[in-house]
Amino acid sequence: MARDPYLELGVSRTASAAEIRKAFHKLAKQHHPDANKGDKKSEEKFKQVSAAFDILGDADKRKKFDAGEIDADGRETMRGFGGGGGGNPFGAGFGGRGRAGGMGGGEGPEIDLNDLFGDILGRNRGGFGGGGAGGGFSPKGADVRARLDIDLEEAIKGGKKRVAFSDGRTIDVTIPTGAQEGQTLRLKGQGSPGRGGQGDALIELAIKPHPIYRPENGALVMDLPITVPDAVLGGKVEAPTPDGPVTLSIPKGSNSGAKLRLKGRGLADAKGHRGDLFARLVVTLPDTPDAELEKFAETWREKRPYAPKRR
């Protein structure tokens, strides 16, 4: 049986969902098999924290665990039958030990509780609920969780990516077009086994920071360096986009901070509709001193002094 999931994640029983998620991400990153190749202890710890998050990361499962309805492995708990209470479905004479006397008073045949529970849990005898092995006492296997980091281009266009689960399995996952930060993909039947069938695999997507583009208010923004002549006179420059480079026209008299819109070159929504990409212009001087530019600047400053407006 797994340890208490609260202890595995190092959080209190009153921890918020955000605190639980933060603790899991920290431990999963620390002990992920890709970062600890050959380290059996880290591999085992990764499995344990993933199993703990499978319980505490699901509001319904956490509620059931706190109420004692499931154990740390996600299995339903069985409560023993009390002796002679009104809620006993087998009659007042049904005790709580291995064998019990006749039902409803008087001496009757002895009943072996192990045999009885074997029937209830489905020894091909119908069980409770009328039919089929296990009846209502055959829970589905536990879900397993994994975090998958994807590139911004993969989030926009979709694709395939390999993910590692806490039990050591790997599988190729299809990233949908317009994948969103924090989106969870559900793979049916890829979880832990159980009497009622396989659980599911839940994969949370995280979009990695990009060296060029950054999301801002639902759009995609990048800084685009331009030369002083292009800023003063205008011109055409090559600009990167997630779909490849394009030629962008710089208006005459452009200042740093001005934004040019590239329609339909930004992020995609869940339906695949593309937003816009904005190029923020940054007027950039040469990396090395330019004597001719310096001479022009001196003359120009003497003849045409001006004070820029503070934005």
Side-chain angles (χ1 to χ4, degrees):
M1 180 179 290
R3 290 181 59 201
D4 186 320
Y6 289 101
L7 295 177
E8 288 290 358
L9 296 181
V11 297
S12 69
R13 292 185 175 271
T14 59
S16 66
E19 290 171 333
I20 289 172
R21 181 185 294 271
K22 182 178 180 180
F24 168 69
H25 284 173
K26 179 181 178 181
L27 291 170
K29 183 177 181 181
Q30 178 182 351
H31 296 286
H32 196 281
D34 290 347
N36 302 275
K37 295 187 182 298
D39 189 335
K40 296 298 183 181
K41 289 185 178 180
S42 285
E43 180 180 343
E44 184 61 28
K45 182 64 175 178
F46 181 76
K47 293 179 181 179
Q48 292 169 353
V49 298
S50 297
F53 186 64
D54 179 60
I55 298 292
L56 301 186
D58 185 305
D60 186 53
K61 287 185 179 179
R62 182 183 182 185
K63 183 178 179 180
K64 289 181 178 180
F65 176 78
D66 290 344
E69 297 175 8
I70 60 174
D71 62 18
D73 293 308
R75 296 188 294 252
E76 293 184 21
T77 57
M78 296 288 293
R79 298 181 182 275
F81 294 111
N88 188 341
F90 298 105
F94 188 45
R97 298 185 179 179
R99 294 186 178 272
M103 298 185 185
E107 293 295 323
E110 292 186 335
I111 300 174
D112 192 315
L113 295 188
N114 292 325
D115 289 341
L116 180 60
F117 282 119
D119 289 341
I120 292 175
L121 295 176
R123 293 187 181 177
N124 298 320
R125 301 183 188 178
F128 274 154
F137 288 87
S138 297
K140 190 177 77 168
D143 294 338
V144 296
R145 293 179 179 268
R147 175 186 169 95
L148 181 61
D149 294 330
I150 61 175
D151 296 325
L152 183 137
E153 290 85 354
E154 292 173 322
I156 293 174
K157 302 175 185 178
K160 286 189 177 294
K161 194 95 170 181
R162 180 158 293 185
V163 62
F165 294 117
S166 58
D167 58 6
R169 291 180 299 127
T170 60
I171 191 171
D172 290 329
V173 178
T174 298
I175 308 301
T177 301
Q180 305 294 308
E181 173 72 26
Q183 179 179 351
T184 298
L185 306 181
R186 180 182 291 271
L187 302 181
K188 296 277 188 184
Q190 295 292 337
S192 300
R195 285 195 177 92
Q198 295 278 131
D200 300 333
L202 305 178
I203 303 170
E204 182 182 357
L205 301 180
I207 302 175
K208 294 186 288 189
H210 198 280
I212 298 176
Y213 316 109
R214 60 186 181 276
E216 285 186 10
N217 300 322
L220 207 56
V221 179
M222 68 176 177
D223 291 334
L224 182 64
I226 61 173
T227 66
V228 174
D230 286 336
V232 175
L233 304 174
K236 293 185 180 295
V237 301
E238 186 177 89
T241 78
D243 307 288
V246 299
T247 299
L248 193 60
S249 295
I250 307 299
K252 182 185 294 186
S254 293
N255 272 314
S256 288
K259 289 182 179 179
L260 303 181
R261 186 173 79 163
L262 289 80
K263 190 173 182 180
R265 298 279 183 166
L267 296 171
D269 62 19
K271 296 182 178 179
H273 299 149
R274 295 287 295 275
D276 298 331
L277 170 64
F278 289 89
R280 177 180 174 274
L281 303 182
V282 181
V283 180
T284 307
L285 294 174
D287 292 334
T288 57
D290 186 313
E292 188 174 348
L293 178 60
E294 290 177 355
K295 183 177 180 181
F296 166 77
E298 288 175 358
T299 303
W300 188 73
R301 182 166 59 182
E302 290 175 1
K303 294 181 178 181
R304 295 181 182 275
Y306 81 105
K309 294 180 180 179
R310 301 298 179 186
R311 290 180 172 83

